[in-house]
């Protein structure tokens, strides 16, 4: 049996595949490099949008020259108010999750129970903050994210509950560039990049050497005050046979094989069968030096990272996303120039009068 390697785009035999941790880290690093290369233009433009919104609205060379000439260099921001307006509109008209019964196995009462569970999860999680943060990112630079996790209900319990958490930095997430759905539900992998201090890293991972996670193979010595690690999510798919019996029951092949002992002629009851993918979601944390935690399985079939997009544009097959900051840069710069020129004229007039 042959399997497809998503990183190297080549088919290798299972018994020849290198499954050592070093090889797996190398594959993850290559996949990260390919993803970072695809999103590089979009992310660099988004980074400039965030800086512009934060007040860095003058080109460096122009600002330096005006400061040397002792000329006013004013920033009179007009864009933040529109970002806040979008976010506030989202708060007033917030999209909500609605559970509806859709087939003969569902009923209104059960749907209402699930609706209450969803509302409980949102309330306990403070999900409004997650939704607002992701919308703010979409309005600013074209994309924002939030995520779904499970957390223990207490320090002395093994029970877990679902929570919705915000992702504060939109640039910390990189998703599968082949994903086409608006919510990213079809992504096959994703990275969440995190930076932690050297002290926190040594305390949490005492047996690991602090090496930044990167697409590069050779790192050399590490000297920084922070360590960059990556949370790597991916989906593994395995084909399985699904059969429909004459009485309407739908069973997977492994279940049919179990029933053969009690029902020898069950194969004759199959009226239709097809192959379907069985999705398994896995995640782990890695640094440039190896796995920081063991690979774990997520109890679901989708990667629990949701993306909120701003305006999407596809140019020659490559996606580009933007918020309202990017198209507003030139008008904002023109306004800054005009206000600075006005201030300069007023200052000169006062000087001549004096």
């Amino acid at each position: 049996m042959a399997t497809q390697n998503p990183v190297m785009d080549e088919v290798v035999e299972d018994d020849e595949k290198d499954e050592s941790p070093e090889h797996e880290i190398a594959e993850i690093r290559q996949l990260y490099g390919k993803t970072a290369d695809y999103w590089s233009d979009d992310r660099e433009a988004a980074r400039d949008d965030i800086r512009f919104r934060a007040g860095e609205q003058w080109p460096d060379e122009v600002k330096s020259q005006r400061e040397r000439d002792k000329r006013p260099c004013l920033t009179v921001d007009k864009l933040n108010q529109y970002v806040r307006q979008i976010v506030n509109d989202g708060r007033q008209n917030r999209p909500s999750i609605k559970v509806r019964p859709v087939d003969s196995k569902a009923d209104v009462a059960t749907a209402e129970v699930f609706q209450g569970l969803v509302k409980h999860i949102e309330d306990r999680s403070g999900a409004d903050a997650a939704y607002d943060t992701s919308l703010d990112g979409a309005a600013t630079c074209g994309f924002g994210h939030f995520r779904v996790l499970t957390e223990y209900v207490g320090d002395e319990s093994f029970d877990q509950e679902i929570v919705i958490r915000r992702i504060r930095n939109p640039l910390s997430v990189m998703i599968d560039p082949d994903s086409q759905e608006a919510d990213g539900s079809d992504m096959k992998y994703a990275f969440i990049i995190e930076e932690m201090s050297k002290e926190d890293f040594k305390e949490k991972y005492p047996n690991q050497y602090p090496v930044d996670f990167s697409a590069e193979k050779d790192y050399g010595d590490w000297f920084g005050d922070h360590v960059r690690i990556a949370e790597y999510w991916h989906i593994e798919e395995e084909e399985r046979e699904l059969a429909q019996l004459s009485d309407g029951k739908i069973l997977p092949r492994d279940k049919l094989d179990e029933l053969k002992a009690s029902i020898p002629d069950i194969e004759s009851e199959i009226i239709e069968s097809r192959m379907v993918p069985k999705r398994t979601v896995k995640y782990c944390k890695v640094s440039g030096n190896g796995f920081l935690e063991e690979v774990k399985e997520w109890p679901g079939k989708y990667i629990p990272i949701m993306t909120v997009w701003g305006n999407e544009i596809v140019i020659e097959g490559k996606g580009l996303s933007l918020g309202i900051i990017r198209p507003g840069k030139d008008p904002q710069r023109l306004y800054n120039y005009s206000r600075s020129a006005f201030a300069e004229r007023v200052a000169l007039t006062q000087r001549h009068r004096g």
Side-chain angles (χ1 to χ4, degrees), residues 56-75 333-334 336-338 340-341 344:
E56 299 181 22
Q57 299 181 358
W58 286 82
D60 292 338
E61 62 277 7
V62 175
K63 185 176 182 180
S64 298
Q65 183 61 51
R66 292 179 71 92
E67 288 177 348
R68 285 195 297 268
D69 296 340
K70 300 186 183 306
R71 301 177 64 189
C73 193
L74 303 181
T75 298
R333 289 192 182 105
L334 181 61
N336 289 340
Y337 277 118
S338 65
S340 297
E344 189 173 14

Side-chain angles (χ1 to χ4, degrees), residues 288-325:
N289 201 38
F291 288 93
L292 299 175
E293 300 174 359
E294 64 179 8
V295 179
K296 299 177 183 178
E297 185 174 326
W298 169 258
K301 63 178 182 178
Y302 303 109
I303 295 176
I305 300 172
M306 274 57 69
T307 299
V308 178
W309 297 105
N311 294 318
E312 291 184 272
I313 301 174
V314 178
I315 302 176
E316 297 181 352
K318 189 171 183 178
L320 181 68
S321 55
L322 64 155
I324 65 170
I325 298 296

Side-chain angles (χ1 to χ4, degrees), residues 276-294:
V276 295
K278 180 182 179 182
R279 295 162 58 98
T280 303
V281 181
K282 295 185 176 182
Y283 65 99
C284 60
K285 284 191 177 183
V286 295
S287 70
N289 201 38
F291 288 93
L292 299 175
E293 300 174 359
E294 64 179 8

Side-chain angles (χ1 to χ4, degrees), residues 82-95:
Y82 298 112
V83 175
R84 302 317 310 166
Q85 181 178 343
I86 292 173
V87 176
N88 289 334
D89 286 346
R91 288 172 175 166
Q92 295 177 7
N93 303 281
R94 193 179 302 283

Side-chain angles (χ1 to χ4, degrees), residues 175-176 179-190 235 279 302-309:
I175 69 171
D176 178 6
S179 172
Q180 300 295 318
E181 297 297 330
D183 59 357
S185 59
D186 60 337
M187 71 175 81
K188 296 297 181 64
Y189 64 88
I235 289 178
R279 295 162 58 98
Y302 303 109
I303 295 176
I305 300 172
M306 274 57 69
T307 299
V308 178
W309 297 105

